[in-house]
Amino acid sequence: DSLLTKDTGPRPLELTEVFKLFQIKYNRSYTSPAEYAHRLNIFAHNLAQAQKLQEEDLGTAEFGETPFSDLTEEEFGQLYGHQKAPERIPDVVKKAGFEKWGQP
Amino acid sequence: VPSTCDWRKARNIISSIKNQKTCRCCWAIAAADNIESLWHIKTQEFVEVSVQELLDCERCGNGCNGGFVWDAYIAVLNNSGLASEKDYPFKGYPNPHGCLANRYKKVAWIQDFTMLDSDEQAIAGYLAAHGPITVTINMKLLQSYRKGVIKATPTTCDPQHVDHSVLLVGFGKGKGEEGIQSGTVMSQTCKPRKPRRSVPYWILKNSWGAKWGEKGYFRLYRGNNSCGITKYPITARLDHSVKKLPISCPP
């Protein structure tokens, strides 16, 4: 299709260029070329996931690049979640209905 | 229950956005944020309490390794209050000398803590009447969240697997794009914008710094237990002997 090859404006950024901008924005550096390649791969995966979320989301949220875009889902959970699943709720955490507030 | 409530609009009720950095202490920050906001509502005094004290003094003594908001409240009750952030500042790692609670003057304390019913309407009513509360959600979708209202389903965000505690500061209903906008660039995707829809939402305060999300906040759809928001709605209880004029939640 001739329309597709026609120069209609600035070309889209290559993935490596987008990743370079991400590194600058969030001050990220990687210890080796292998680590860089690994993080680039994760970054690409996360952008694709974000695009999928964007398409599937039923609300008005916008998903895309964030400071966590070079982390796997597991790493993100390990770094920022509280991880431990509650085994039981302490007895002192009582169930209280709204209408019960203020009662002895 | 009012149709909207946003405690951020009341002066000095909500403290500035905190940043947990690489310390897994969302549970302590959520509890501290809860106590700070309730303390101001009850006493009209603005305090910033020590998150580090909660990390150092919780029952396991390693608060950067995860925890639960009830651990924070138990630590506050055991230590008869909390020191100020200024006296006992956040370091982002556990203090090697352990709990230093006895060294500092207490600036805020609680009488009790409680878990609310898992009902979004009841939570909204409580929030509007008493102040911000803590909730624990599945944070999976927050990894790539930028702004707007997240409407999750049990498939996209398991409501049973909750792993991140935050402060619930309000609720509203309206165009999903009318919240506080982040200053970051638009996403790389080139999709047509979704049509504007009126959606009910919760407003939540996160602990990943003010550059994340909507100036440190995010919004979740209200009405379908998005990401398990109703699983652990927990709040401190403060009873202040001196009765002052109550502060109501701004619409």
Side-chain angles (χ1 to χ4, degrees):
Chain A
D1 190 321
S2 61
L3 279 175
L4 288 176
T5 54
K6 194 174 177 181
D7 184 11
T8 54
R11 66 179 176 82
L13 292 174
E14 295 285 339
L15 177 66
T16 49
E17 291 172 312
V18 176
F19 192 51
K20 181 76 183 169
L21 293 173
F22 166 83
Q23 285 185 273
I24 293 166
K25 186 174 177 184
Y26 297 110
N27 197 24
R28 293 287 204 288
S29 59
Y30 304 107
T31 52
S32 67
E35 176 68 5
Y36 171 84
H38 179 56
R39 293 295 155 193
L40 177 61
N41 204 23
I42 294 166
F43 182 78
H45 172 78
N46 283 338
L47 283 194
Q49 281 294 109
Q51 191 167 344
K52 190 164 172 262
L53 284 174
Q54 190 71 60
E55 287 159 5
E56 290 174 353
D57 186 65
L58 303 167
T60 61
E62 183 181 305
F63 297 95
E65 180 196 289
T66 71
F68 315 116
S69 292
D70 64 343
L71 300 175
T72 64
E73 194 180 318
E74 292 71 30
E75 287 171 332
F76 176 65
Q78 284 163 10
L79 283 170
Y80 296 98
H82 60 44
Q83 182 100 18
K84 291 185 284 188
E87 288 149 11
R88 68 179 190 88
I89 302 168
D91 296 337
V92 286
V93 185
K94 301 178 289 278
K95 273 273 183 189
F98 169 60
E99 71 283 356
K100 293 173 191 162
W101 181 263
Q103 296 298 310
Chain B
V1 180
S3 59
T4 59
C5 157
D6 188 350
W7 283 107
R8 294 175 301 177
K9 294 177 182 171
R11 191 183 161 96
N12 279 341
I13 299 292
I14 307 296
S15 53
S16 58
I17 294 286
K18 297 175 175 66
N19 193 340
Q20 66 185 77
K21 299 177 183 171
T22 52
C23 171
R24 287 160 55 202
C25 60
C26 60
W27 59 277
I29 290 179
D33 280 339
N34 175 233
I35 293 168
E36 286 168 351
S37 57
L38 297 183
W39 188 264
H40 184 96
I41 290 169
K42 292 285 178 183
T43 69
Q44 288 162 41
E45 292 168 14
F46 181 73
V47 293
E48 284 191 296
V49 298
S50 171
V51 172
Q52 189 68 37
E53 181 175 341
L54 295 172
L55 303 183
D56 296 341
C57 307
E58 63 99 24
R59 58 189 169 143
C60 299
N62 185 7
C64 281
N65 206 24
F68 304 107
V69 285
W70 47 80
D71 291 331
Y73 296 126
I74 290 168
V76 179
L77 291 168
N78 285 343
N79 291 321
S80 306
L82 277 175
S84 70
E85 169 65 21
K86 192 178 172 189
D87 286 346
Y88 198 161
F90 180 67
K91 303 224 182 282
Y93 52 85
N95 190 312
H97 303 293
C99 178
L100 306 178
N102 293 333
R103 291 193 187 179
Y104 306 107
K105 179 190 161 196
K106 307 298 178 193
V107 294
W109 47 90
I110 66 175
Q111 271 68 43
D112 197 2
F113 63 100
T114 188
M115 185 152 78
L116 309 179
D117 278 343
S118 295
D119 173 84
E120 290 187 75
Q121 189 70 358
I123 290 170
Y126 189 94
L127 180 80
H130 298 283
I133 68 163
T134 71
V135 290
T136 302
I137 60 161
N138 182 335
M139 67 171 187
K140 181 185 168 184
L141 299 180
L142 301 186
Q143 184 174 3
S144 53
Y145 172 82
R146 295 168 64 85
K147 64 180 182 181
V149 179
I150 301 171
K151 186 177 183 182
T153 65
T155 311
T156 58
C157 192
D158 183 358
Q160 295 303 316
H161 179 84
V162 295
D163 56 359
H164 184 51
S165 300
V166 292
L167 189 73
L168 187 57
V169 300
F171 55 87
K173 186 176 181 179
K175 305 287 185 292
E177 292 159 7
E178 69 184 15
I180 298 172
Q181 304 282 306
S182 69
T184 54
V185 295
M186 295 295 285
S187 69
Q188 303 296 334
T189 55
C190 187
K191 290 275 175 187
R193 295 191 76 82
K194 288 180 180 175
R196 290 186 171 205
R197 283 168 286 178
S198 183
V199 289
Y201 56 79
W202 294 111
I203 307 164
L204 300 113
K205 183 187 184 193
N206 205 350
S207 50
W208 296 343
K211 289 181 180 172
W212 178 87
E214 296 181 332
K215 294 187 176 174
Y217 292 84
F218 64 104
R219 286 177 293 157
L220 269 181
Y221 185 83
R222 178 164 54 99
N224 72 345
N225 188 27
S226 269
C227 297
I229 193 169
T230 65
K231 195 169 174 68
Y232 297 120
I234 299 178
T235 182
R237 288 180 59 172
L238 276 70
D239 293 316
H240 210 260
S241 55
V242 181
K243 297 290 178 196
K244 292 187 178 176
L245 285 175
I247 299 171
S248 56
C249 184

